[in-house]
């Protein structure tokens, strides 16, 4: 039964990765100024359905934050900011994700891009990497945390070793937040606030 549950979580993770990503791209073709509201609605609906399905089968833990979890969120978020500042003081980061960010922001910020970066993408990634993979498939183990964080970094298309370790560190911090809290909202909120921080700086 445990093997079936793991395979179920892995299969759902694959579907979430493929369908949510493909649906978003099919709406706007990678242009965040095209069909903005349709993009937001379609991706939001698919994510809500995915989360509801995962919760129905007890694959993820997604609840109201306790005081301890709120403090954990604040602590991990501040730590990610400090790590980010320190890392950029010594290394440059180049990846497919950052290149896309620079390309989009250079053309101006659209509503769908801001919503995607600060809300939809963090929910999508946390559901997949922390919830379904680290939590449901790897039983929230330390080995699962490291392996999932490595995959998280790889999926951000780092161009060199320093860039890989940059995303790996981010994945480890998010994974630690989920492992310690057992609540996907903690890592998701850290991810949301972390992604919003450079946008606020840009604005």
């Amino acid at each position: 039964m445990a093997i079936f549950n793991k395979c179920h979580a892995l299969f759902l993770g694959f579907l979430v990765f493929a369908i949510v990503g493909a649906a978003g791209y099919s709406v706007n073709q990678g242009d965040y100024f095209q069909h903005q509201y349709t993009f937001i609605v379609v991706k939001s609906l698919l994510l809500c359905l995915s989360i509801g399905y995962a919760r129905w089968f007890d694959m993820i833990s997604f609840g109201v934050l306790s005081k301890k979890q709120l403090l954990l969120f604040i602590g991990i978020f501040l730590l990610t900011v400090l790590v980010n500042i320190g890392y950029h003081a010594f290394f440059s980061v180049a990846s497919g994700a950052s290149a896309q960010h620079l390309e989009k922001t250079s053309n101006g910020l659209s509503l769908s891009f801001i919503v995607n970066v600060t809300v939809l993408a963090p929910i999508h990634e946390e559901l997949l990497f922390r919830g379904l993979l680290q939590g449901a498939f790897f039983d929230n183990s330390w080995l699962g945390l490291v392996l999932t964080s490595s995959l998280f970094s790889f999926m951000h298309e780092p161009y060199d070793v320093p860039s890989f370790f940059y995303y790996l560190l981010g994945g480890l911090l998010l994974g630690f937040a989920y492992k310690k809290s057992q609540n996907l909202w903690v890592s998701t909120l850290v991810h949301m606030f972390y992604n919003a921080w450079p946008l606020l700086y840009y604005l």
Side-chain angles (χ1 to χ4, degrees):
M1 188 64 179
I3 295 178
F4 172 78
N5 291 337
K6 290 178 184 293
C7 291
H8 189 186
L10 188 63
F11 180 68
L12 178 60
F14 173 77
L15 288 180
V16 168
F17 173 75
I19 294 177
V20 176
Y25 186 81
S26 67
V27 171
N28 66 10
Q29 301 297 309
D31 178 4
Y32 286 94
F33 286 94
Q34 179 175 305
H35 309 300
Q36 295 191 58
Y37 297 109
T38 304
F39 174 87
I40 294 170
V41 170
V42 168
K43 198 162 184 178
S44 298
L45 179 60
L46 288 173
L47 285 173
C48 286
L49 290 173
S50 301
I51 291 170
Y53 184 89
R55 290 190 68 181
W56 180 268
F57 287 96
D58 293 323
M59 294 181 189
I60 59 172
S61 175
F62 222 149
V64 178
L65 269 64
S66 65
K67 290 182 180 180
K68 184 177 180 179
Q69 291 171 343
L70 181 61
L71 290 175
L72 179 64
F73 151 66
I74 294 171
I76 295 294
F77 170 67
L78 292 176
L79 185 58
T80 59
V81 172
L82 290 175
V83 167
N84 180 64
I85 294 172
Y87 200 90
H88 278 87
F90 296 97
F91 305 102
S92 61
V93 176
S95 73
S98 61
Q100 181 188 32
H101 175 267
L102 291 174
E103 180 184 353
K104 300 304 178 186
T105 55
S106 65
N107 295 326
L109 296 176
S110 68
L111 176 64
S112 64
F113 178 73
I114 294 173
V115 172
N116 187 59
V117 168
T118 60
V119 180
L120 301 179
I123 292 174
H124 186 190
E125 293 179 5
E126 291 309 302
L127 172 63
L128 172 63
F129 291 106
R130 256 56 67 179
L132 297 174
L133 294 182
Q134 178 184 316
F137 186 76
F138 288 111
D139 298 320
N140 225 350
S141 65
W142 288 107
L143 176 61
L145 191 159
V146 173
L147 292 176
T148 303
S149 299
S150 300
L151 179 61
F152 174 79
S153 179
F154 177 76
M155 294 303 293
H156 281 80
E157 304 175 43
Y159 294 159
D160 49 33
V161 174
S163 300
F164 174 82
F165 279 103
Y166 172 78
Y167 289 104
L168 176 63
L169 283 171
L172 290 172
L173 288 170
L174 291 168
F176 180 79
Y178 185 54
K179 181 173 179 60
K180 286 300 181 182
S181 66
Q182 300 290 325
N183 187 344
L184 199 58
W185 261 125
V186 176
S187 62
T188 301
L189 286 172
V190 172
H191 203 151
M192 286 178 174
F193 275 71
Y194 181 78
N195 280 16
W197 177 54
L199 285 181
L200 291 174
Y201 178 80
Y202 176 83
L203 290 172

